[in-house]
Amino acid sequence: MSLNNAITRVVNNNFHALTHRNFRYYWFGQCVSLIGTWMQNIGQSWLVLKLTGSPFLLGLVGTTQFMPVTFFSLFAGVVIDRFPKKLILLITQTVAMILAFILSILVFTGQVQYGYILVLAFILGLTNTFDMPTRQAFTIEIVGKDDLMNAIALNSTTFNLARVVGPAIGASMMAFLGAGWCFMLNGFSFLAVIYSLTRIEATPYVRPKKPGSGMMREIRDGFRYIAQDRLLSQTLLLLAVIGTLGFNFNVLIPAFTQNVLHMEEGTYGFLMSAIGVGSLIGALTISVRSKQGPRLGLIMICSAAVSVLLTLTGFTSNMYITAMVLALIGVSNIFFTTNCNSLLQIHSKDEYRARVMSIYSLVFTGSTPLGNLFAGSAAERLGPDGAFILSGVLAFIPIMLILLLFRLKRKPAPAQAGIPD
């Protein structure tokens, strides 16, 4: 068997979403752009901590950045289905690129201030309010339902590979050249995904507006659709808990690095990369096993595992042990989020998918402002180790209550769902 045939067989068997030409363009563009995004993420967090010295003010930046998702994602879900998703993505990615360049210029010219970072974070959050649910709903248009979970796993692989590479490059760049270069290179990285979008030729799903159906009525209709479906409602409730308490690493890890481990940029990048390594392992595992489809039982187990591992992180004081626990969190998180994302999209009807994914953005990403504010406040009062412990305990309690509630009122899932427990 020739090398080309062997590669083709591996791709067809394990990474079959890449057999779609449109998805290949989109995926390779993301490979470049997400590395820049992670460089900016750690650069911004470290820059704010250096400017202010306050974990609370660092948490406030995260709150400001994700606040637009909390307030506007429901409206975004209604708007997204009325326009071609490729056009929306071209606009949002271009705006994000411009914001990265502005931040880099402020740093290079010595004009950067905490208030400017807050403003740019808010505008980026508003952009992401439309970008995130659009990307979720766009994936199924370019691969179809059969290859959706594999595509989501491959996107997660890209995201988490970038989470490994981006912080490592970003930490080195901050140490030797300064944070401004993290933001500048992130700006240039958006050109890859913008180019890939121009090469995609897909038939968009544009939902025609129904006579007499206003935006608020369509939002209520989306909530009613989710409330009547056990799989969707249970999944979204678990996402709300983990999204609020389980993804505050941008606040807790830099503070944990400084105040508990007493280390600098290199260790911060190492710990962020450790989460990425775990997530990458999880994403690759899912991509190989994606033909089995999403599993509700795995979602339940992984949500509980995340809460336990968060608690354990607070009891670590050795860099390598902390990294190992964070890597396990990365594995659990990626199994949890990929199964949730796939279940929501596969189980949703076409006319409701964008609204379901906008609510996904609301409960998962839109809960981050509360989570960041909570994490920053807890780290200020209890220390970052205490904040990790408190986050884990507070996540475990509602997760157990949700599982108990749905177990008591459990009914057979609709026959068409095809989602095993």
Side-chain angles (χ1 to χ4, degrees), residues 10 57 83 97 116 124 137 168 175 214 229 233-234 251 253 257 262 291 305 350 364 371-372 382 402 404 408:
V10 170
L57 292 178
F83 297 93
M97 177 179 67
Y116 294 158
L124 181 61
D229 190 294
S233 54
Q234 183 175 3
V251 177
I253 291 183
T257 301
H262 307 293
K291 289 185 178 180
D350 289 342
F364 187 47
N372 277 189
L382 305 174
I402 291 168
L404 179 62
L408 291 175

Side-chain angles (χ1 to χ4, degrees), residues 12-14 16 146 149-150 286-293:
N12 289 337
N13 289 340
N14 301 316
H16 32 94
D146 290 342
M149 189 169 183
N150 189 256
I286 291 175
S287 66
V288 172
R289 301 171 60 88
S290 61
K291 289 185 178 180
Q292 297 179 1

